[in-house]
Amino acid sequence: EPEVTQTPSHQVTQMGQEVILRCVPISNHLYFYWYRQILGQKVEFLVSFYNNEISEKSEIFDDQFSVERPDGSNFTLKIRSTKLEDSAMYFCASSLGGRGDTQYFGPGTRLTVL
Amino acid sequence: GQNIDQPTEMTATEGAIVQINCTYQTSGFNGLFWYQQHAGEAPTFLSYNVLDGLEEKGRFSSFLSRSKGYSYLLLKELQMKDSASYLCAANYGNNRLAFGKGNQVVVIP
């Protein structure tokens, strides 16, 4: 069964450093998402992406964040200058269609900012 | 943002039935998803309701009332492997999911 994959599984970085989290969505899916989950808290929407552009973003997704689909398979989340409060599990998800279509989540990247 | 309310924790014995409730804001609502999340893992899809009524999938059923902004997930014949957090996620806008905090279900022998 096709799955969303994410790399790395764990990332430790120093405050102020840039990180890039990588995702390979399910191959025939057209819509891509990033969510995050701070330890012990709820899953929060960051951004959705379709047709090579952002379709929606939350207030969390400020200028420090960017997303890119650099080729036909990868979908990345970049955090330009990490802060302590960016420490969280970051989940990538994809769906075949848009509104109302099921989103399938990857295993997550645990980001720790020191 | 859209506030999604869920109770936080419940304990039940193997073979029992549990119901997990969720309320959500109805403005801009598209549909309601339920996900299961084991500790440290990704949410996995359980069910989706867009119309009022009950959707049954094996041991799991989910109900939606759009007018009341209310859903529940029913877990029947509980098994030890069902110990997990159950997340209610309301769909808004261009397929944005707003999650509740999750309800931790602990299944005991």
Side-chain angles (χ1 to χ4, degrees):
Chain A
E1 187 175 318
E3 292 180 334
V4 177
T5 59
Q6 290 184 243
T7 54
S9 55
H10 293 88
Q11 173 94 48
V12 180
T13 190
Q14 295 289 326
M15 192 169 55
Q17 295 296 303
E18 175 183 286
V19 294
I20 297 176
L21 309 183
R22 292 184 164 79
C23 169
V24 178
I26 294 173
S27 61
N28 62 336
H29 284 188
L30 301 176
Y31 294 77
F32 316 118
Y33 314 85
W34 284 101
Y35 292 81
R36 78 172 186 191
Q37 187 174 31
I38 295 169
L39 189 64
Q41 297 188 24
K42 62 183 179 181
V43 177
E44 300 174 291
F45 170 79
L46 293 178
V47 66
S48 58
F49 190 88
Y50 169 70
N51 200 26
N52 280 319
E53 58 184 31
I54 290 172
S55 50
E56 195 169 357
K57 61 182 180 180
S58 71
E59 58 274 11
I60 302 168
F61 194 88
D62 61 22
D63 291 344
Q64 293 298 314
F65 291 88
S66 62
V67 288
E68 192 178 28
R69 186 149 165 86
D71 54 44
S73 59
N74 290 283
F75 179 53
T76 62
L77 175 70
K78 182 193 290 186
I79 310 175
R80 258 178 276 281
S81 176
T82 50
K83 303 187 281 285
L84 296 177
E85 54 266 36
D86 293 328
S87 294
M89 182 75 99
Y90 287 81
F91 292 110
C92 174
S94 70
S95 64
L96 179 60
R99 184 180 301 182
D101 222 15
T102 301
Q103 295 177 35
Y104 294 91
F105 284 74
T109 293
R110 180 164 298 286
L111 176 66
T112 301
V113 182
L114 302 176
Chain B
Q2 284 85 11
N3 286 328
I4 315 299
D5 290 326
Q6 286 185 261
T8 54
E9 186 170 317
M10 59 175 61
T11 301
T13 41
E14 258 185 308
I17 300 173
V18 294
Q19 177 173 317
I20 303 166
N21 300 316
C22 172
T23 58
Y24 61 88
Q25 292 186 357
T26 57
S27 176
F29 173 77
N30 297 323
L32 198 291
F33 288 87
W34 284 95
Y35 284 83
Q36 181 191 62
Q37 187 179 30
H38 287 99
E41 297 182 12
T44 54
F45 169 72
L46 289 177
S47 68
Y48 175 57
N49 293 69
V50 62
L51 300 175
D52 285 357
L54 190 68
E55 293 279 342
E56 297 193 72
K57 285 176 75 172
R59 293 189 300 113
F60 295 171
S61 304
S62 55
F63 171 84
L64 179 69
S65 169
R66 293 183 71 112
S67 61
K68 294 180 179 171
Y70 168 71
S71 174
Y72 69 73
L73 179 70
L74 200 65
L75 284 62
K76 292 175 268 191
E77 299 168 24
L78 276 179
Q79 301 175 7
M80 297 298 289
K81 67 179 181 180
D82 296 331
S83 292
S85 186
Y86 291 85
L87 313 181
C88 165
N91 187 283
Y92 299 99
N94 290 325
N95 219 22
R96 166 174 47 90
L97 292 178
F99 282 86
K101 288 186 177 179
N103 184 308
Q104 184 69 38
V105 173
V106 178
V107 182
I108 57 176

